[in-house]
Structures are given as C-alpha cells and as structure tokens.
Amino acid sequence: MYIPLANIHLLATVSWLSLAGAIPLDVNNETSIKQAASTIAYGLMSYYTGNQSSSPVAEGTFPAPYYWWEAGAVWGAMIDYWHYTNDSTYNDVVAQALLSQISPTKDFMPPAEAGQEGNDDQFFWAAAAMSAAERNFPSPSTPSPWLSLAAAAFTSQTQRWNTATCRGGLKWQIFPSNTGYDYKNTAANGGFFQLAARLFRYTGSATYQAWATTAWDWMAGVGLVDAASCAVYDGTQDAANCSQVNELAFSYTHGMLLAGCAALANASAPPASALWAARAAGLLASSARFLAPFPNLTAPRLVLYEPACEPAAACDADQLSFKALLARWLAAAAQLLPDLTDAVAAVLQRSAQAAARACAGGEAGVTCGQKWYVGGFDGSVGVGQQLGALEVVQGLLVGKGSPPAVAPGVVVRVVAAGETAPVPTGGAAPTAGAGTGTGGGGAGGGAALGGAGRVGVGGWIVGLGVLGAVVLG
C-alpha cells in the first residue's frame, strides 16, 4: 500500500516536532510545509541575477563561486518546487534560464562553458530538462522541448563512452584540456545511468534500458559501487586502467544511483523490476552513512550531513549543495518504490525540521545555514545551503504530488512486496531481460547488490532493516 510521506507520522512520530524553528515547520501539515518551502525558495532565488539586464552574470547562471552545473541543479529543484506547491511565481524565470543554456547543438553544451563543463555538469542541466518533461512543466513553445533536450544530451554522452581504458565508462571531463580528463568518476557515470533510467521509464525504449544496465555493470565492475557494503565511491584513474578506486564518498552520487535504480524498478518487467528494487534497497540502507552520528547536540541526531567535509567546515561551494541532491533523490525513490517510504520519510522529516531550525540567519532571520545537527544557524550561507533546505522540506510533499509522467502508452508498475530478485549463477551475468547489460562490469557486483532477497517492509535485503531500526526506532 502506498502511504504518502506527509502521513508517515502515523508510523514514525517525530517526537521533537514542537521545538520552535527559525522557519516554522510542522512536518505533518501540508500548508506549513508549503509556507516553509516558499520562504526558502525566495531566499534561494535571491542569489540569481542572471535575468537582470545590469548583471555581468550570464543568463541562467549564478555568480562566482558557483559553477555552471549548480545552476542546473537549482533549476531542477525549482521545477519540483512548482510541482509540489503549485506556486508558479518562478516558472517563467526557470524556463528562460534553462533555455538560455541549451547551446547551438541543443544538448546543453554551450561554448562559453567549455572550460569547465564535464559530463557530470551536463547531466545536471539535462536532468532539469528531464524533470520538466516528467512534471509537464510549462514551456514557452509548442511542442515542449524538454524531452528532446534531455535525450540529445544523453545521446552526446553515449558518443563519449570510452572503451580505450577500463573496458568502458565516461571520463569526468569532456575536453582533454580540462583538469580531471583522466578520471572516470561516479558523478559522470552515475548521472549517465540515472538519465538513461529516467529516459527508459518515460519512453519505454529498450535502448535507454540497455545503456542504464551497461553503466551500472561498469560501475560495479570497477568497484565504484562496493558489492559488500553498497557504498558508492568517488572515482578511479583511467590512466591506471581503473585498477584503484578513490574511496571518498559523497552523498549526491549515492542518491543519484538510488533514484536511477528506483526508476528502473518502476519501469522494468519482472524479474528485472525486483533486481533493481533490491539494488535500490541496498543503496538506501547504506545511505545511513550520511546521517549525522553526533551525540549530545541540541538538535536530534540522524539528520542528513556531508561527512567528507561538513564536520570540519571544509566543504567547498560545490560540496555545500551535495546533501540537497541526496534529499531530492531520496524523495524521488520513495515515490517510485513505495516500500521505501517509511525509512525515507523518517529521514526527511527529521532533516527538514532540523534544516528549518538552521534557517535563522540574515536580516529577516530566515537565511539557511549548513549544519542542521547543531540546533540552529551556524553562520554558513549560500546557494548550496538554501538548496539543501529547500530540497529536504519540499521533499515532504512528494506523496501529495503525481508521480513523474511517462509517454502515452508506456506502462510502469509498483514492485510488489515479496517479489524475489533472480540470483546469477556460475559467474555469468543474467540476460539483459534480467536487468544487467553487456558493459564492462562483472556479474559479481550485480549478484551481490541484486541477489536473492525479498523486497518489502521488514524484509529488505542488504540490511535495510538496520536503517529502518535506526531512523524509526
């Protein structure tokens, strides 16, 4: 049974709801959530000057220190904001911003950004266009360009799938002159995977399904996804043939893969649907590493944080926005896989209330800070901080909104509790219909992350019950 996130308090009461916040928020009240999201969205959009004639900043982008990719992430958030709240205040600005960066090739490859654009950067703009298609976001032209823009960006990335080293994978950077060209990372390949999954779900095209499974198998094969723990790591050097993995872990790439697996579970026929659902469950379980484990703080424990940099206040402008994306994709995964709802809702509720308490800066006392677990405002402000608070608050509304749209005639499904994922045997990968592709990944990673187990409340594989006990107990 699908249980809207806004109603999960019946199962998991947030005992500290009565604590006052800088931005008032009752996580069980739709009106309160929308009001809080509106306040935070206004603060986020106050950083945008690209639509002002006097601004030296290019249309669609944010001023330094914010890179081009983060603007794409913001527009994706604002599309969801409209969808969740029905507030169209920013729609014209968002549409204008997205269309300003489509480039002459109409695939989000603007020449002005060649010095900084990587495959992961392109993904965030394509993902915003994909969200616009899935949300039926208003377009200034007919027919709507959103799906074609996302598909064109994806096609451009398929042409850069690099088999010269590591048996495949996307390089982090697109252009050889950019630092990081010899690095194949999860941000680039995970974005490619998620976009393929969402395009498959929307269109029903087996071509996108095949690319999604190829990308997953490649990441599992080189060790970017750990078969035992379901941890997601940063990347690997293709100059060394991807023989060693950089085990730095960030929240956004974790969420990126989780949302992709949920989309594939929702769109695939059995037995692939159960395989992808099992992988999503494993990733959700291992996302517990991004819940602040700090005792004796004013705010409750177990709210989202960025362990690689946040405790030491060492996050750069990019990293300050990462947990925003995890929050976004946790909500997205729960909507497509309702069996994940209980655990996701508890995380989002606690984190949203803590984030609202952290929005106590600025002259109006509603500017958002970064560390949600300290019980108040920590003095750190910026686009990433506002984006994080917006994503986690508006994510509470996901159960109230319609699911992402699909093209006419495309059938999606809910993975039933108790469906069993197939077990690869003999070291051989299952057929493509079982949810794996022909990419460079080995069957071992797929088997461990999507092997035998049941999908359902109280019976998730790879330890999801542990996460449930942590956040619901």
Side-chain angles (χ1 to χ4, degrees):
M1 179 180 68
Y2 181 73
I3 306 173
L5 288 181
N7 293 337
I8 291 301
H9 66 284
L10 297 175
L11 301 176
T13 301
V14 180
S15 61
W16 46 281
L17 177 63
S18 60
L19 293 177
I23 292 180
L25 176 64
D26 179 344
V27 297
N28 301 312
N29 182 284
E30 183 177 352
T31 299
S32 176
I33 295 168
K34 288 182 177 181
Q35 289 173 342
S38 175
T39 299
I40 298 167
Y42 179 84
L44 175 60
M45 291 300 291
S46 71
Y47 287 94
Y48 179 58
T49 60
N51 60 336
Q52 299 175 13
S53 59
S54 60
S55 174
V57 178
E59 186 175 10
T61 69
F62 284 78
Y66 307 110
Y67 287 104
W68 182 73
W69 78 269
E70 193 163 354
V74 168
W75 308 135
M78 295 305 298
I79 290 167
D80 281 350
Y81 171 77
W82 163 75
H83 178 74
Y84 291 145
T85 67
N86 295 316
D87 180 1
S88 61
T89 300
Y90 308 104
N91 283 11
D92 289 346
V93 173
V94 173
Q96 181 185 51
L98 270 178
L99 294 173
S100 74
Q101 296 294 311
I102 62 176
S103 76
T105 50
K106 293 183 171 55
D107 57 2
F108 296 110
M109 292 280 290
E113 303 300 334
Q116 63 168 291
E117 184 174 1
N119 284 303
D120 54 343
D121 305 306
Q122 185 188 29
F123 159 75
F124 280 101
W125 285 84
M130 191 71 226
S131 292
E134 293 167 334
R135 304 303 196 192
N136 292 313
F137 186 68
S139 167
S141 62
T142 303
S144 168
W146 308 129
L147 180 64
S148 63
L149 288 170
F154 179 80
T155 297
S156 75
Q157 293 199 349
T158 65
Q159 296 165 359
R160 295 192 290 271
W161 185 261
N162 182 274
T163 58
T165 59
C166 312
R167 297 171 296 162
L170 283 177
K171 290 174 174 284
W172 175 22
Q173 295 298 319
I174 297 172
F175 303 103
S177 58
N178 288 353
T179 301
Y181 184 73
D182 292 326
Y183 195 57
K184 291 185 175 179
N185 67 351
T186 304
N189 288 280
F192 181 75
F193 164 74
Q194 188 196 107
L195 189 57
R198 292 167 67 183
L199 284 165
F200 167 57
R201 182 185 177 277
Y202 190 98
T203 67
S205 170
T207 298
Y208 295 125
Q209 182 186 36
W211 272 115
T213 53
T214 293
W216 175 273
D217 286 349
W218 182 82
M219 288 185 287
V222 299
L224 295 183
V225 182
D226 184 85
S229 67
C230 300
V232 177
Y233 299 126
D234 189 68
T236 182
Q237 291 288 342
D238 70 343
N241 204 34
C242 301
S243 58
Q244 293 183 322
V245 171
N246 176 1
E247 294 189 353
L248 192 63
F250 291 109
S251 60
Y252 77 115
T253 48
H254 205 101
M256 188 182 281
L257 299 189
L258 172 58
C261 287
L264 288 165
N266 186 240
S268 301
S273 53
L275 180 63
W276 288 113
R279 288 168 172 167
L283 288 165
L284 179 57
S286 62
S287 70
R289 67 170 54 199
F290 302 110
L291 298 176
F294 306 109
N296 303 320
L297 295 173
T298 303
R301 299 171 58 192
L302 304 175
V303 298
L304 292 174
Y305 86 124
E306 197 64 46
C309 60
E310 192 173 312
C315 297
D316 63 24
D318 287 349
Q319 294 161 351
L320 287 167
S321 67
F322 285 175
K323 68 184 177 188
L325 301 164
L326 175 57
R328 175 193 300 184
W329 289 322
L330 283 170
Q335 186 172 42
L336 297 181
L337 281 178
D339 277 348
L340 306 184
T341 300
D342 291 10
V344 169
V347 171
L348 292 183
Q349 286 181 329
R350 285 190 170 101
S351 297
Q353 190 69 55
R357 287 170 58 87
C359 294
E363 292 183 4
V366 293
T367 299
C368 300
Q370 177 65 11
K371 295 181 178 180
W372 298 343
Y373 48 84
V374 299
F377 179 62
D378 67 351
S380 174
V381 301
V383 170
Q385 295 87 325
Q386 290 293 136
L387 182 62
L390 178 63
E391 291 282 18
V392 76
V393 169
Q394 70 184 17
L396 297 173
L397 297 169
V398 69
K400 296 290 187 179
S402 58
V406 297
V410 174
V411 177
V412 293
R413 61 192 301 277
V414 174
V415 179
E419 269 190 33
T420 306
V423 184
T425 59
T431 64
T436 61
T438 56
L449 290 174
R454 292 191 174 275
V455 181
V457 175
W460 288 318
I461 67 162
V462 212
L464 186 57
V466 174
L467 178 63
V470 168
V471 298
L472 298 176

